[in-house]
Amino acid sequence: MTTAPVRITATEGPGQPERTPELEELYSGFESELLVPLWTEIGDLMPKEPNPRALPHTWRWQKLLPLAERAGRLVPVGRGGERRAIALANPGLGGSPFVTPTLWAAIQYLGPREDAPVHRHTQHAFRFVVEGEGVWTVVDGDPVAMRRGDFLLTPGWHFHGHHNQSDAPMAWLDGLDIPLSHYTGSTFFEFGPDEVGDRGTPERSRSEHLWAHPGLTPVSAAGSPQPSSPIAAYRWEHTDRALNDQLALEKEGFAGVVEPGHAAVRFTNPTTGGDVMPTIRAEFHRLRPGTVTATRREVGSSVYQVFDGGGTVRVGEREWDVAHGDLFVVPSWQPLTVAAGTGGDGSDGGGLDLFRFSDTPVFDRLHQSRTRIEDAPA
């Protein structure tokens, strides 16, 4: 005899019917027909504000990297496993390899002279390089150099593989929308060749030659919006310069920063002006030494990685000191406050650089985005 998966418990409280044998019989009938009454579930289904299952948490780079290095010695890269990627598992999600209900974050590790075979999938992906160089990711046959500070795209259903041309290993952050695709049952995956087709090591990819010129669109592709950005790599030198220029303008008394001492840029799709991919937003934030941000709540979840500097992060009721490479997650509608370090003497040796990615485009499209700033920095 199969037990019905629906279980309904009569409860006491406002708006609840009197608990009687007739009510128990009614609920038993609901269970047998796989029916659930709204009045017993409304508190969980329709809370007054978001109540995410995901929890605030941080992962330490100084612990992640040695584990990735050990995996590099023990775990092969090839057909079957495909990638030596180690996912961050949010403690509130029951052991699933998801950092939030919509986002995947993983540390990928490639040893010296190793290849990761070619495949493609409908999930959208990116790489962010917190340290190292020597790996090229080849996206649809276009070799793209991966270097410290670079943000690299692999939009859904594009063939891609990686090859390490150096004598040193390299680790980086992978971000994907795997949980969202998994939940919606929309995933497709396909093997490509065992090795990348172009083992070249150009300084810049072909996509950068065509698209990575600020404010300039190739006439051959003008007027053709693409769902994901055609730029394969957003280079650190451009990100760094843009952040420095914002803070320089602030010093001169002009507008441009998000709030005092807080510069930020968003990586965008040049064919639409919108986010780089339909389900993922990516940004880079720089805080001057000693800057404390306003406390913000946002619908949707975010993952941050410390690129440089250090400081203190408060998410909900949790607070941590963070340093180079550390990652932390901000679940939906959890208050976030970030304080940059001072460098000990308040000099430019302090400050904090943060890479951020989020699922905000999903909620923008659903017209469910909401932001609340709860205080303003002094």
Side-chain angles (χ1 to χ4, degrees), residues 163-199:
H163 62 98
N164 188 343
Q165 292 296 104
S166 75
D167 294 320
M170 185 170 162
W172 63 86
L173 172 66
D174 280 348
L176 296 92
D177 58 4
I178 290 175
L180 180 64
S181 296
H182 180 76
Y183 179 76
T184 57
S186 58
T187 295
F188 290 86
F189 179 91
E190 184 177 313
F191 290 126
D194 290 342
E195 296 184 0
V196 298
D198 189 332
R199 304 189 69 81

Side-chain angles (χ1 to χ4, degrees), residues 79-83 117-123 157 159-160 186-192:
R79 281 280 100 105
E82 292 297 300
R83 300 288 187 263
V118 178
H119 64 215
R120 66 177 176 176
H121 39 71
T122 45
Q123 297 98 330
W157 214 236
F159 279 114
H160 56 283
S186 58
T187 295
F188 290 86
F189 179 91
E190 184 177 313
F191 290 126

Side-chain angles (χ1 to χ4, degrees), residues 19-35:
R19 190 169 184 174
T20 64
E22 291 83 359
L23 183 68
E24 297 285 1
E25 185 178 355
L26 173 65
Y27 284 178
S28 179
F30 285 166
E31 291 173 357
S32 65
E33 296 302 320
L34 303 183
L35 301 171

Side-chain angles (χ1 to χ4, degrees), residues 305-331:
Q305 185 169 35
V306 178
F307 183 66
D308 261 336
T312 303
V313 174
R314 184 173 181 84
V315 184
E317 299 302 315
R318 302 293 305 278
E319 184 172 295
W320 314 280
D321 291 333
V322 293
H324 170 76
D326 291 349
L327 295 115
F328 61 92
V329 60
V330 184

